[in-house]
Amino acid sequence: MSDAFWPKGFRVSQVKPAFGNKLCSYTITLEAWRRGLNVKILDSGFDRFEISDSNKVVSFNRSRASLNSPEAVKNVINKQTARGYFEKAGVATPLGSKFSVSEGFSPIEKYASQIGYPVVLKPVSGSLGKGVITNIKNADSLLDDYNYLTKELRKNNIVLERHVEGEDYRVFVIGKKASAVVKRVPANVVGDGKRTIKELINAKNIIRKKNPFLSKGLIKVDREVLWYISYAGFSIDSILRDGEFLQLRGKANASAGGDVVDVTDTISDDVKKLAISAIHSIPGLFQGGVDVLYDSVSGSCNVIEINSRAQIGVNMYPTDGFGANVPKDIIDEIFPDSTRPKNQFYNRLIFDMKSTLHLIKNGVAKEITLTPPRYRRGGKIKSVMLTFEFDDDALLKGIISKAQALELNGKVETEGSHALILVSSSASRIGKFIAVVNSALQVEVSERKWKGTVCQGFFVDNRFRN
C-alpha cells in the first residue's frame, strides 16, 4: 500500500529510523515537538519521555501516559483481575477463570467441561498475543496446548475462558474518545496457482517490511502456522489454487503476521461505546488499546482485554484503509491548548532520533531536551536544493559555516568536486544564503525546490567539520 494512505507527517521518510518498537515514542514526541511543546527523552531505548507546557508535565512509557495510574496498569496487566472489573461494570466479556500450574491440568479440564468447548487458553499476563491459543475444541487439544504453555513457554498462571465468535478489533481509546479502530485478520496467504505456501509467505513478508509497524511483525513459520497448514490438508510446499485463502493462525495480532484493516468510520458505534466503557471500568485508567470480538450478524460484542501500553502503529499503518492520526488525538486530549502550526512545513520537519539516543547510550547525557523547532509559526518556509561544482574545500567550508550561522536546516552531500546542499528555513534567510553562495562561487548556482523530509539541524560530512 502507498504511504499516501498513512497520516500526513508520519509517512515512511519521516519515521524510517523508528520502524518497529520505537514508533509510539517517536510519533508522539514528533507531534508534541512540532507544536512547540517541551520534549525530554529519558533513556536510550526511547521507552520513557516527558512532554510538558507551562502548566503540566506528563511522562510516557511509549504510548502510555502517566495519566494512567500505576494501580490501573497493574489491574489491566492481570487479565483475570481486569475481567472482574468488566463484569462489575456490566461490560460484556467472556466467562473465564484463572488457574495456577501448581494445581495441575485436572481443574482446567473440569472447568472447560463446565463452560463448554470451544475454549481459549492464555497466560494471565502478556502482550502481542504471545501464548494465546484460541478455538480449542476438545480435551485432547486442551492438554496439548496446556503442555505447550507450561512446559515450552514456562507459564505458571493461566486463564481459561469461553471462546466467543466474532471478528477481532483493536480500539484505541483516550479519555472519552475512540480515536481509531482496526479490524485484525489472522495471518494468511492467498494462492495464485503458481507459488508454494512458503513462497507466498515470503512474498507477503517482503511487503510487510515496507510498513513502519508491520515490518516487525512478519509471518514466522512456527508450530502454530504449520498446524494450520496441516489442518487444511496442505504442506508448506503445497501450491494453492488461484484465489484460495489459507488462514495461518488463530489469533489476529498484527505482531504475529496478521493483516490490519482500518474501520474507524464504518464500525458500529456499539463497538466504540463498549471499548470506552471498558477503559472507564478500570479505576484510574485514562487510555488504552481495547481488544473486542464483534459479530456483525448477531450484534454480539465482547471485550477480551486491554493493553495500557498499546502499539498505536497498528492504527496508524494498516494493511488496508487510511491510517488514523493517533499522535494528534493523544496530544489534543492531553494538551488541549497546544495547536498545530498553520504552515504545512511542520509535516516535513523531524528531529534526528538516532543521534539523540546515541548521546544517551554513550553516556554523554543522562537525558536530552529537544531544541524547539526552527520555524516561525504561520511564517513562510522555503526549501531549496543547490547544486554546484567546487575546487576548494576551504571555500565549501565557508559556505557551510554561513548555513550554520543562519541556523538553516539541511545537509551537504559531496561526490568529488560536486556539491549538493539541501536547505530549509524562512524565505529571507534562504535568500541571504543563496546570495552568499553565488558571491563565493562567482557564478549563479543551480537552484530548485526541495519537497523532501527536513531534519532539524545542519548536517555535514566529517571532511567539512571544523
Side-chain angles (χ1 to χ4, degrees):
M1 169 179 279
S2 167
D3 71 354
F5 289 88
W6 299 333
K8 192 173 183 180
F10 300 102
R11 294 176 183 167
V12 170
S13 62
Q14 280 102 12
V15 303
K16 183 68 175 178
F19 267 36
N21 292 334
K22 292 181 175 61
L23 267 181
C24 291
S25 299
Y26 190 55
T27 55
I28 294 170
T29 54
L30 200 54
E31 175 69 22
W33 175 73
R34 286 168 171 170
R35 294 191 188 198
L37 293 168
N38 304 312
V39 175
K40 183 184 293 185
I41 299 173
L42 302 175
D43 67 81
S44 62
F46 212 172
D47 289 326
R48 298 180 300 110
F49 56 93
E50 288 181 354
I51 299 174
S52 63
D53 59 13
S54 58
N55 298 315
K56 60 182 173 183
V57 178
V58 179
S59 60
F60 286 80
N61 187 316
R62 297 191 186 179
S63 70
R64 184 171 68 215
S66 55
L67 298 175
N68 279 348
S69 73
E71 188 66 21
V73 172
K74 180 180 177 181
N75 289 333
V76 165
I77 290 174
N78 188 305
K79 294 177 173 59
Q80 190 59 26
T81 301
R83 188 197 313 278
Y85 281 105
F86 298 156
E87 292 174 344
K88 184 178 179 180
V91 174
T93 191
L95 183 64
S97 187
K98 170 189 171 183
F99 297 89
S100 171
V101 172
S102 62
E103 302 175 62
F105 177 67
S106 181
I108 293 179
E109 181 181 27
K110 182 178 180 180
Y111 186 68
S113 298
Q114 290 175 357
I115 64 176
Y117 290 95
V119 295
V120 174
L121 200 62
K122 58 187 179 183
V124 166
S125 61
S127 61
L128 305 179
K130 293 178 181 178
V132 178
I133 305 171
T134 64
N135 203 20
I136 303 170
K137 298 181 182 298
N138 53 58
D140 289 340
S141 295
L142 180 61
L143 177 59
D144 288 342
D145 294 328
Y146 170 82
N147 287 332
Y148 171 68
L149 280 181
T150 58
K151 295 179 180 179
E152 291 192 38
L153 299 187
R154 298 183 180 279
K155 300 298 180 180
N156 295 319
N157 293 289
I158 293 173
V159 167
L160 181 76
E161 65 185 27
R162 179 180 292 159
H163 177 90
V164 295
E165 294 298 329
E167 295 181 303
D168 187 298
Y169 294 85
R170 162 57 68 86
V171 187
F172 185 80
V173 176
I174 181 161
K176 296 181 179 179
K177 178 181 180 180
S179 169
V181 189
V182 290
K183 179 171 75 172
R184 301 186 295 188
V185 181
N188 65 85
V189 290
V190 178
D192 59 5
K194 300 176 182 178
R195 290 177 291 182
T196 66
I197 293 173
K198 183 177 181 179
E199 290 171 334
L200 292 171
I201 291 173
N202 290 338
K204 194 163 190 177
N205 280 339
I206 290 174
I207 296 173
R208 293 177 73 87
K209 287 178 181 179
K210 299 176 182 178
N211 182 297
F213 177 70
L214 301 180
S215 60
K216 299 300 181 181
L218 305 183
I219 302 174
K220 298 178 181 178
V221 180
D222 55 16
R223 171 182 179 273
E224 183 183 18
V225 167
L226 291 173
W227 183 90
Y228 268 86
I229 293 172
S230 176
Y231 184 77
F234 301 110
S235 74
I236 192 73
D237 296 315
S238 297
I239 297 176
L240 300 179
R241 298 190 305 273
D242 187 27
E244 185 172 8
F245 179 91
L246 175 63
Q247 183 172 328
L248 298 174
R249 292 196 189 280
K251 53 185 177 288
N253 298 69
S255 58
D259 293 337
V260 182
V261 182
D262 178 76
V263 294
T264 304
D265 297 330
T266 58
I267 192 66
S268 167
D269 284 341
D270 291 341
V271 174
K272 294 180 179 179
K273 290 177 181 178
L274 183 67
I276 294 170
S277 296
I279 289 290
H280 293 289
S281 72
I282 310 291
L285 194 63
F286 173 73
Q287 67 176 95
V290 185
D291 293 341
V292 176
L293 288 181
Y294 172 60
D295 187 332
S296 59
V297 176
S298 67
S300 171
C301 195
N302 287 271
V303 170
I304 303 303
E305 61 184 62
I306 296 176
N307 190 326
S308 67
R309 196 178 72 161
Q311 291 278 10
I312 62 175
V314 73
N315 298 103
M316 296 179 68
Y317 303 102
T319 312
D320 296 298
F322 289 90
N325 197 333
V326 180
K328 175 184 178 299
D329 286 347
I330 290 174
I331 301 302
D332 280 348
E333 182 69 27
I334 299 177
F335 295 94
D337 293 333
S338 67
T339 57
R340 309 182 103 195
K342 291 182 180 179
N343 67 65
Q344 291 301 302
F345 174 72
Y346 79 93
N347 278 323
R348 297 166 51 206
L349 185 63
I350 65 172
F351 63 86
D352 187 350
M353 184 194 77
K354 285 189 174 180
S355 294
T356 302
L357 298 181
H358 189 70
L359 291 173
I360 302 176
K361 185 177 181 180
N362 283 358
V364 177
K366 291 184 177 180
E367 57 190 37
I368 299 289
T369 299
L370 299 182
T371 302
R374 288 180 179 174
Y375 60 74
R376 293 180 299 175
R377 299 175 71 82
K380 185 177 180 181
I381 302 295
K382 185 176 182 180
S383 299
V384 298
M385 177 186 299
L386 307 176
T387 56
F388 54 87
E389 298 288 331
F390 70 98
D391 56 10
D392 184 352
D393 281 6
L395 177 65
L396 187 54
K397 281 185 178 181
I399 293 173
I400 291 170
S401 294
K402 185 61 178 178
Q404 293 169 332
L406 287 168
E407 294 187 341
L408 305 185
N409 295 311
K411 61 181 178 179
V412 174
E413 296 177 356
T414 60
E415 184 175 344
S417 61
H418 179 79
L420 167 66
I421 300 184
L422 303 171
V423 283
S424 183
S425 186
S426 66
S428 62
R429 291 192 180 192
I430 293 295
K432 291 178 181 178
F433 179 67
I434 292 175
V436 167
V437 176
N438 287 335
S439 175
L441 297 174
Q442 297 297 310
V443 64
E444 192 167 326
V445 301
S446 173
E447 170 192 345
R448 60 190 176 95
K449 288 185 178 179
W450 169 33
K451 297 182 179 180
T453 297
V454 179
C455 188
Q456 172 143 302
F458 196 80
F459 300 86
V460 299
D461 298 335
N462 289 333
R463 170 184 172 190
F464 299 103
R465 290 178 183 170
N466 293 326

